[in-house]
Amino acid sequence: LQIGVNLANDYFDYIKGIDTSERLGPIRVTYSGLIPAPHVKWAMGITFGLVAVIGIYLVTVGGWPILTVGIASILAALAYSGGPFPLASHGLGDLFVFIFFGLVAVCGTYYVQALQLNIIVLYAAVPVGLLITAILVVNNLRDIMTDRSVGKNTLAVRIGERGARIEFVLLLAGAYAVPVILVIAGRVSIFALLPLVSLPMAISLSRTVCRKEGRVLNKGLAGTARLSLIFSLLFSIGLIFS
């Protein structure tokens, strides 16, 4: 699904004229001409086809909830940049990334193994969604000027650079607040605070995102993805020991 949505974004942003020579992010294969648009479209279709094939097995295990989640995930991936109402161009990208790469991904993964959900799983999904959304915020903050010029009204475009930077800091703060809340509430043991080891990285990233602009934010983009991975691993280990 992640690969599929990236291919979809690459393809749809090209055919809609959103990607231009002024783009500050990493090179996109369709606009740059590295891969012809029809080939990218085929790759997107094949990728989502593979999602469906794997999904058949998961549905036999998890039943209709997994079928519902799978269909919704594919539709959301296509609607993010494509269709008559692209979510990313109407300021809804952040919300849908949080829902599908946080709540749906974590809860769905747990459900297909345990065939049940509980409140701890939902709590565990929140920081994952917040951190993945923070990656998108850096990406959209970097592209505010170019997105605005082509009518792509991301949430960052709507709330401005200052608002996007505040959003980034709040997303990271929210992610670190969750394990603290769980421990204080007595839901898990103190081992769940293990993600706090990565807090210095989060502070450094916040400084970078709040002070830098343009292509320099590509480092912040990669750093936020790295933080998401490290935080999630530490949180998983902490929950296991809890």
Side-chain angles (χ1 to χ4, degrees):
L1 283 169
Q2 174 68 73
I3 295 170
V5 74
N6 284 345
L7 289 169
N9 292 345
D10 202 302
Y11 174 77
F12 287 121
D13 281 356
Y14 169 72
I15 64 173
K16 290 175 180 288
I18 292 175
D19 280 345
T20 67
S21 58
E22 298 179 356
R23 176 177 165 80
L24 300 176
I27 294 174
R28 282 189 161 182
V29 295
T30 314
Y31 177 80
S32 66
L34 289 172
I35 302 177
H39 292 185
V40 177
K41 186 177 181 180
W42 270 102
M44 176 179 63
I46 292 170
T47 302
F48 286 127
L50 291 172
V51 170
V53 170
I54 297 170
I56 291 173
Y57 166 71
L58 295 178
V59 169
T60 64
V61 175
W64 68 264
I66 300 302
L67 176 62
T68 303
V69 163
I71 293 174
S73 297
I74 293 176
L75 290 176
L78 291 171
Y80 185 81
S81 295
F85 190 84
L87 301 172
S89 296
H90 290 84
L92 296 172
D94 303 54
L95 174 62
F96 276 79
V97 165
F98 172 75
I99 291 173
F100 283 94
F101 286 98
L103 304 184
V104 170
V106 175
C107 292
T109 299
Y110 185 90
Y111 181 84
V112 82
Q113 297 174 80
L115 300 181
Q116 62 178 345
L117 292 174
N118 58 61
I119 191 65
I120 301 298
V121 179
L122 184 60
Y123 273 117
V126 170
V128 175
L130 294 176
L131 291 173
I132 297 296
T133 305
I135 299 173
L136 177 65
V137 172
V138 181
N139 183 80
N140 291 344
L141 171 63
R142 180 201 62 212
D143 294 340
I144 279 182
M145 296 302 293
T146 53
D147 284 345
R148 183 182 289 127
S149 67
V150 296
K152 184 177 181 178
N153 296 314
T154 63
L155 183 59
V157 169
R158 291 171 180 267
I159 65 178
E161 292 186 4
R162 185 172 183 273
R165 291 187 168 103
I166 292 174
E167 180 191 3
F168 179 84
V169 173
L170 290 177
L171 289 170
L172 264 59
Y176 283 92
V178 170
V180 174
I181 292 172
L182 284 174
V183 171
I184 292 175
R187 294 280 186 173
V188 293
S189 77
I190 198 170
F191 287 110
L193 296 179
L194 195 57
L196 297 183
V197 172
S198 64
L199 189 56
M201 182 185 300
I203 294 173
S204 176
L205 276 169
S206 296
R207 288 174 178 167
T208 298
V209 172
C210 288
R211 297 175 181 176
K212 304 295 182 180
E213 58 184 22
R215 286 191 173 88
V216 179
L217 287 173
N218 286 330
K219 293 183 178 179
L221 188 71
T224 307
R226 191 179 304 113
L227 174 66
S228 175
L229 172 63
I230 293 173
F231 181 103
S232 298
L233 288 172
L234 292 173
F235 197 25
S236 297
I237 294 170
L239 290 175
I240 290 170
F241 280 101
S242 289

